[in-house]
Amino acid sequence: MFVGLMTLAACDSGYDSSGTGTSAHGLSTTVYRIRKGDTSRIQYRMLDSVNALRQAAGAVPVTLNAQLTAAAATHSRDMSIQNRPWHFGSDGSSPIDRVRRAGYEGEMLGENISETYETELETLAAWMEQDGTRAVLLDKDAQDMGFAWFQESNGKIWWTLVMGSGRPPVL
């Protein structure tokens, strides 16, 4: 599955020649520039890739959720402002707080974040290599996914993916 994912990334990388950066793996790369019209293409490519991984793991597919995506977008921009990848907002908010603020009524199951110059599919492959982030992606209770990013002028991308249950939390 990883080979197919990486092959897909190589086939339609979206790279341009505007500069170089360093990947999470310490390799010099061409900067992946995201253009304004690329949003839905990138979001649905990530959704399709996550669902392929979930299917291989025996989990049901997830759907892209507008509220979770809004929470993810807010956090991606905020991580850039803070200049650090972490799960808390500059206002002290947690992932649960951000999801509630965005109006999501289901249970927030997990959040994956990344600070990188890599594409969304390279970032997904890196998340799949780590137990904690892989568990978020393959959570059998997940029904909804939010996915967004913020790209700085230097090309650095702050990715955020949020998974939700689609059902209100059990209290």
Side-chain angles (χ1 to χ4, degrees):
M1 182 59 66
F2 289 117
V3 173
L5 187 59
M6 293 310 292
T7 301
L8 180 59
C11 290
D12 184 18
S13 66
Y15 284 108
D16 71 15
S17 59
S18 60
T20 60
T22 304
S23 74
H25 301 93
L27 304 173
S28 179
T29 62
T30 302
V31 174
Y32 178 55
R33 291 283 177 190
I34 300 173
R35 297 174 297 270
K36 289 182 182 181
D38 290 343
T39 300
S40 63
R41 180 180 57 83
I42 291 170
Q43 286 177 325
Y44 283 101
R45 183 167 53 201
M46 178 63 98
L47 178 66
D48 290 345
S49 299
V50 166
N51 280 333
L53 293 166
R54 290 178 61 79
Q55 180 181 11
V60 299
V62 292
T63 58
L64 200 57
N65 178 277
Q67 289 89 12
L68 292 179
T69 296
T74 297
H75 192 54
S76 291
R77 181 175 292 277
D78 192 48
M79 285 189 296
S80 171
I81 292 166
Q82 296 182 71
N83 196 33
R84 64 178 170 179
W86 76 324
H87 293 284
F88 294 95
S90 57
D91 62 355
S93 63
S94 71
I96 294 170
D97 296 331
R98 289 187 297 277
V99 165
R100 286 186 185 143
R101 284 182 201 161
Y104 185 70
E105 295 183 8
E107 181 178 6
M108 197 283 302
L109 299 172
E111 175 182 77
N112 287 348
I113 58 173
S114 179
E115 168 195 20
T116 186
Y117 290 90
E118 295 180 319
T119 71
E120 67 280 1
L121 296 182
E122 289 168 318
T123 301
L124 177 59
W127 285 337
M128 286 298 290
E129 292 175 9
Q130 302 297 318
D131 291 341
T133 51
R134 181 176 51 251
V136 170
L137 294 165
L138 302 180
D139 189 320
K140 295 206 185 290
D141 291 330
Q143 293 181 6
D144 297 321
M145 181 182 95
F147 179 64
W149 59 88
F150 178 77
Q151 186 167 36
E152 296 179 357
S153 60
N154 66 4
K156 183 189 294 184
I157 307 169
W158 301 84
W159 300 104
T160 305
L161 181 143
V162 183
M163 289 291 197
S165 70
R167 297 176 307 278
V170 177
L171 302 175

